[in-house]
Amino acid sequence: MDTNLRRRIRAGDHNAFGDLFDAYARSVYNHAYRLTGDWTTAEDVVSLTFLDAWRLRAKLDEEGGSLRPWLLGIATNVTRNTRRAARRHAAAIARLPRDEAVRDFADEVSGRLDDTARLALVRTALEKLRRPEREVLALCVWSGLDYAAAAEALGVPIGTVRSRLSRARAKLAKHMEPPQAHGQMKGDRTTAVRPITEGNR
């Protein structure tokens, strides 16, 4: 079925592309959200991913298995480009003259929604990872791709996926430790949080 779908997509079959979207849009969205941490940005990434997939359809191999690694690879590249554009936009805004500060209630609401120690801990730990490490973690651990599929998605050797994932896990194990509880003796590390692994995702 996947081979037939590949051939139909390469041929520009709109119905086949609709089937592709129905089958994998949720997976692409989840992957994008895990990389960006923002629902709106993740939705934009989904749209751009399928636009790029349509544009790149002629380069798709006719033979092969699931199209999920191909789409997640495109989504990863789209996320990189989106982040670069966001940084350029933020830099441009920062250069503009500043008006009197107005309280941003959106930040307050967002803070309330995310106000859990566990979520804050995970986000802090993920920020410690390099971008390639976050990407391979998202593909292998959260999206459930095996090493070969992740390597296909990222366009890198399997050994690179293995080493990046190993480094990501080691860093998470180091940083996934909650801050010292109130009144806890300095140096007491008995409350360490178990790191994310394939076995407990």
Side-chain angles (χ1 to χ4, degrees):
M1 184 180 74
D2 287 312
T3 297
N4 182 51
L5 185 60
R6 285 170 177 263
R7 291 173 178 167
R8 290 171 60 202
I9 289 172
R10 279 177 55 90
D13 186 330
H14 287 82
N15 290 330
F17 205 79
D19 292 341
L20 180 73
F21 183 88
D22 292 341
Y24 297 112
R26 174 56 59 180
S27 182
V28 171
Y29 174 83
N30 289 339
H31 179 62
Y33 176 71
R34 288 159 182 158
L35 289 178
T36 65
D38 182 86
W39 291 285
T40 302
T41 303
E43 290 173 352
D44 291 341
V45 169
V46 171
S47 299
L48 293 171
T49 294
F50 281 93
L51 283 173
D52 272 3
W54 178 256
R55 181 174 57 83
L56 298 170
R57 65 188 184 280
K59 296 182 179 180
L60 180 64
D61 291 336
E62 287 191 5
E63 303 294 332
S66 171
L67 287 162
R68 189 164 170 253
W70 178 63
L71 287 171
L72 294 186
I74 294 174
T76 300
N77 289 329
V78 167
T79 301
R80 292 172 187 166
N81 295 335
T82 300
R83 283 183 161 176
R84 279 196 292 266
R87 285 195 296 267
R88 288 195 295 268
H89 177 73
I93 293 297
R95 291 193 293 269
L96 296 176
R98 294 183 177 275
D99 295 327
E100 183 179 352
V102 177
R103 185 179 178 188
D104 188 350
F105 290 96
D107 287 344
E108 180 178 339
V109 173
S110 177
R112 289 178 180 175
L113 291 174
D114 296 337
D115 190 20
T116 65
R118 175 69 179 177
L119 185 55
L121 186 62
V122 171
R123 286 184 173 176
T124 299
L126 289 175
E127 286 300 317
K128 303 290 184 181
L129 301 182
R130 295 170 56 244
R131 175 181 53 77
E133 293 165 349
R134 285 197 303 271
E135 291 172 353
V136 78
L137 186 76
L139 289 169
C140 291
V141 177
W142 289 322
S143 293
L145 298 190
D146 59 22
Y147 293 132
E152 177 187 342
L154 295 172
V156 299
I158 291 179
T160 300
V161 171
R162 290 179 183 272
S163 60
R164 288 179 184 176
L165 186 58
S166 177
R167 287 196 301 270
R169 285 173 169 161
K171 289 183 180 179
L172 284 179
K174 177 181 178 182
H175 296 294
M176 283 288 292
E177 182 173 335
Q180 292 182 351
H182 179 69
Q184 183 179 349
M185 291 182 63
K186 203 170 186 179
D188 183 356
R189 300 184 179 274
T190 59
T191 57
V193 177
R194 183 174 51 160
I196 298 173
T197 64
E198 290 187 30
N200 63 19
R201 63 174 181 266

